Amino acid sequence: MLTLESAKQKAELHGVDVNKCETLLNEVSSIYRITISDKYQLVFFLASSGCFSAPEIAEKVNQTPKNMNSEFNKNLGQYLKLYFDLEEKDRLGITSLRRFLFKEGYLKKLNKEPYLSNRHQKKPDSVLER
């Protein structure tokens, strides 16, 4: 069975600064006077690991894949956008969470693994010069 602790361990293995992220979630919860359920903390850490797609996360937390993104936004994403003072057009969902956390300094330096999956990495300069 998947637990919050195992999701945190998975995220930690993939470079997420779990302590910093826990502090972030506690601050968001305190500032906006919301309770972030274990389910959405689990979703947060699974998404931040970069190992799972939104449908895979939905399956792991017994959520309808069709509603996973909107439910994440309603229960956590909208508060993260407010906390980071993002504009309405800025996206911060399951798919973009790891990329956003990387940009904001919530990932640790890893020696073996790239921070972002291949689809999130920038193209090498040699490709841009063609």
Side-chain angles (χ1 to χ4, degrees):
M1 184 171 155
L2 188 62
T3 65
L4 181 54
E5 287 308 311
S6 64
K8 287 178 184 179
Q9 287 175 350
K10 182 81 164 169
E12 184 103 43
L13 283 172
H14 286 83
V16 176
D17 188 333
V18 170
N19 291 332
K20 197 171 179 181
C21 287
E22 286 177 323
T23 300
L24 167 65
L25 293 176
N26 287 333
E27 287 178 5
V28 167
S29 180
S30 176
I31 290 169
Y32 299 106
R33 300 175 191 241
I34 61 166
T35 300
I36 303 170
S37 70
D38 285 351
K39 176 182 178 179
Y40 285 98
Q41 289 183 55
L42 180 68
V43 170
F44 176 90
F45 285 107
L46 290 174
S48 69
S49 76
C51 297
F52 308 100
S53 66
E56 291 170 328
I57 293 172
E59 184 179 313
K60 291 183 180 305
V61 297
N62 296 322
Q63 176 77 36
T64 307
K66 179 180 174 186
N67 298 330
M68 187 72 247
N69 288 314
S70 62
E71 288 296 316
F72 175 80
N73 186 51
K74 183 174 85 175
N75 289 287
L76 183 55
Q78 68 177 331
Y79 300 107
L80 291 171
K81 283 178 73 168
L82 288 170
Y83 181 83
F84 287 106
D85 198 27
L86 300 178
E87 299 205 13
E88 188 61 36
K89 65 178 170 69
D90 293 327
R91 300 195 47 95
L92 184 55
I94 291 173
T95 306
S96 59
L97 182 63
R98 183 170 174 86
R99 188 174 46 242
F100 180 80
L101 293 175
F102 173 75
K103 188 173 84 173
E104 294 296 319
Y106 285 85
L107 298 184
K108 300 176 184 178
K109 182 166 175 57
L110 293 177
N111 295 328
K112 297 178 186 174
E113 303 268 337
Y115 282 117
L116 304 174
S117 69
N118 290 338
R119 69 173 194 242
H120 295 307
Q121 292 177 356
K122 291 183 180 178
K123 294 181 181 176
D125 290 337
S126 61
V127 174
L128 298 175
E129 292 173 0
R130 291 184 194 170

